[in-house]
Amino acid sequence: MRALLISRDGQLYSEIASQGAARVPPLHLAGTRASLRDALDRVESDNLQLLIIDASDGEPLEAGLLERLGRQYPSAQLMLLTDHHQPDLLITAMRAGVREVLQLPLVHRAFHEAMDRIASAAGMSLMRDGKVLAFIACKGGSGATFISTNFGYALATLAAKKVLLIDLHGQFGDAALYVSDQKPTMTLSDVCAQIGRIDAPFLESCLVHVTPGFGILAAADDPAHAKDAKPEHIDTILRVARQHYDYVLLDVGRQIDAVSLRALDITDTIYPVLQLALPDIRDARRLLDIFRSLGYVLDHIRLIVNRYEKGGKLRLHDLHAALGCEVMHTFPNDYIAVTDSVNQGVPVLQLSRSSAAARSLAEMVELVTARRVQESKGLLDRLFGGSA
């Protein structure tokens, strides 16, 4: 999409150019004009799909000039940026054909949401509309990283999905080590430091590639660099990722901070991971209370019980009664297979495909991808060689 910015603000130009480059397809600023009259006098020869008008410089917005500009570029949508909301200004803008009005300073999320609406109206389809799934540990040692990394591998190998996992641990993130012996050449903090460069090829080049369809964006190897990641960076990374991957998995860890909250805000489904023990249940209740206070819809939260053993004193219906939230899936207490997988850095599906843990991962793929029974059987047949 090509756009013309009408503004005297060079910093605003740089900001929109940077945000536009991160979109898919990218937004290209063909140029800038100082005023509406300047835009009418100096016609842009290339086809334009968007005119962005900065109305914050104090000059009154002339409806006649704006209407003439709309006639000059009949195929272009109009977006107005303003640092103050005045009813007269908004009425003038709407009468002239403006459909998007955004507040300055520019809020990146609002800008991209407006751009999504404009792209949809122009019939520009995105390459993918990937789902974002977040795995968060209710208590340390609950196994959230093992489940998220091995589930990513299962989605890629059993369901032929293109999967990205982002390690959001602020300190000591080691998700890549669970399924790979490769040393990350780039981390989340490196991507955030070069956020203006981000596009699909750049993001792909920063990953640890476990398989051709499954990559991991590692956490910062130095905890001091974890602060390099900002909430607005996560917005941009996830926006690009959703358009190029079928599933984007987030290994959130336990921390609730500005970065993880921004990621959770964008998430389609949250999977708190816990064990069936009182300390885990207590921490899960606290976590769910936080989610409720943030206005998260309970239907988008699915509990995963790890190391589950039938016949224990605590049962699944006790957990539901205590938390008021359904258990989506249980992982068995398959100690040997899981320990061997973690110690060797090899996915459990690859290392021990007949194990209970491997079967549980295949079942979770079926649940998440919502495949019909006859289709999902094919996944199990692929995994167990027809014996499932």
Side-chain angles (χ1 to χ4, degrees):
M1 179 181 291
R2 296 183 64 80
L4 181 69
L5 174 64
I6 301 173
S7 175
R8 293 185 174 89
D9 189 341
Q11 184 175 350
L12 179 63
Y13 179 91
S14 299
E15 186 177 11
I16 292 176
S18 174
Q19 292 298 312
R23 294 188 55 79
V24 179
L27 172 70
H28 297 290
L29 284 181
T32 184
R33 301 290 186 267
S35 65
L36 291 176
R37 291 187 182 278
D38 187 24
L40 289 167
D41 292 340
R42 292 196 295 142
V43 179
E44 179 64 38
S45 57
D46 293 332
N47 290 329
L48 297 176
Q49 289 84 40
L50 177 62
L51 297 173
I52 305 175
I53 301 111
D54 177 8
S56 65
D57 59 4
E59 292 186 3
L61 188 68
E62 298 185 38
L65 295 180
L66 195 56
E67 290 171 358
R68 284 176 55 194
L69 192 65
R71 290 194 297 270
Q72 187 164 285
Y73 298 101
S75 61
Q77 301 266 358
L78 302 180
M79 176 187 290
L80 186 72
L81 309 180
T82 177
D83 56 358
H84 55 280
H85 281 302
Q86 294 182 353
D88 292 344
L89 174 67
L90 298 180
I91 292 172
T92 299
M94 286 189 292
R95 286 175 175 170
V98 174
R99 292 295 175 264
E100 298 290 344
V101 179
L102 300 181
Q103 186 77 26
L104 291 174
L106 192 64
V107 177
H108 293 168
R109 180 185 296 186
F111 172 74
H112 286 287
E113 288 173 351
M115 287 301 306
D116 289 343
R117 291 190 293 270
I118 290 171
S120 177
M124 297 181 178
S125 61
L126 303 177
M127 295 178 65
R128 278 182 170 88
D129 184 20
K131 299 296 183 183
V132 179
L133 312 179
F135 294 79
I136 184 166
C138 294
K139 191 171 182 60
S142 64
T145 298
F146 172 83
I147 290 174
S148 62
T149 51
N150 278 268
F151 178 62
Y153 179 86
L155 274 174
T157 55
L158 299 182
K161 301 297 184 181
K162 190 174 183 184
V163 183
L164 166 66
L165 184 142
I166 302 177
D167 189 346
L168 289 178
H169 282 76
Q171 293 183 331
F172 312 116
D174 56 2
L177 296 178
Y178 278 69
V179 287
S180 175
D181 60 358
Q182 303 174 49
K183 181 176 175 57
T185 57
M186 298 281 279
T187 68
L188 176 61
S189 60
D190 296 320
V191 173
C192 292
Q194 305 177 65
I195 199 67
R197 290 183 55 195
I198 193 166
D199 56 15
F202 175 70
L203 181 59
E204 187 77 8
S205 71
C206 297
L207 306 182
V208 171
H209 292 280
V210 183
T211 72
F214 177 38
I216 297 176
L217 181 57
D221 51 5
D222 184 348
H225 291 160
K227 61 183 180 182
D228 295 341
K230 307 296 183 187
E232 57 269 24
H233 297 156
I234 300 302
D235 265 345
T236 302
I237 292 170
L238 289 180
R239 186 170 296 106
V240 173
R242 291 186 83 130
Q243 295 167 356
H244 289 275
Y245 297 87
D246 298 307
Y247 288 92
V248 181
L249 311 183
L250 307 177
D251 183 16
V252 180
R254 291 195 70 204
Q255 76 276 13
I256 300 293
D257 55 21
V259 169
S260 61
L261 281 177
R262 181 62 61 85
L264 291 171
D265 285 345
I266 305 171
T267 297
D268 294 290
T269 308
I270 301 173
Y271 297 103
V273 180
L274 72 157
Q275 298 180 47
L276 206 54
L278 286 177
D280 292 67
I281 296 172
R282 180 195 60 193
D283 285 2
R285 182 184 297 161
R286 292 172 177 171
L287 184 63
L288 290 175
D289 286 342
I290 293 174
F291 290 158
R292 291 187 183 99
S293 69
L294 294 170
Y296 292 172
V297 179
L298 201 61
D299 289 345
H300 295 168
I301 300 172
R302 301 281 189 270
L303 296 178
I304 295 177
V305 176
N306 193 20
R307 298 174 189 146
Y308 174 66
E309 292 181 327
K310 294 181 179 179
K313 291 185 178 180
L314 290 176
R315 292 167 292 180
L316 293 179
H317 77 264
D318 297 323
L319 182 64
H320 176 66
L323 301 180
C325 190
E326 293 288 345
V327 175
M328 189 275 288
H329 191 53
T330 61
F331 273 87
N333 187 17
D334 194 355
Y335 178 80
I336 294 177
V338 170
T339 302
D340 287 347
S341 170
V342 173
N343 288 338
Q344 296 181 47
V346 177
V348 71
L349 280 167
Q350 179 180 336
L351 188 66
S352 182
R353 70 177 195 170
S354 62
S355 65
R359 184 180 294 275
S360 185
L361 285 165
E363 292 170 352
M364 188 172 174
V365 169
E366 174 186 344
L367 288 170
V368 171
T369 58
R371 297 206 171 203
R372 293 176 297 177
V373 173
Q374 59 265 36
E375 292 176 340
S376 63
K377 184 179 178 183
L379 301 180
L380 296 172
D381 284 346
R382 247 189 291 171
L383 178 59
F384 300 110
S387 63

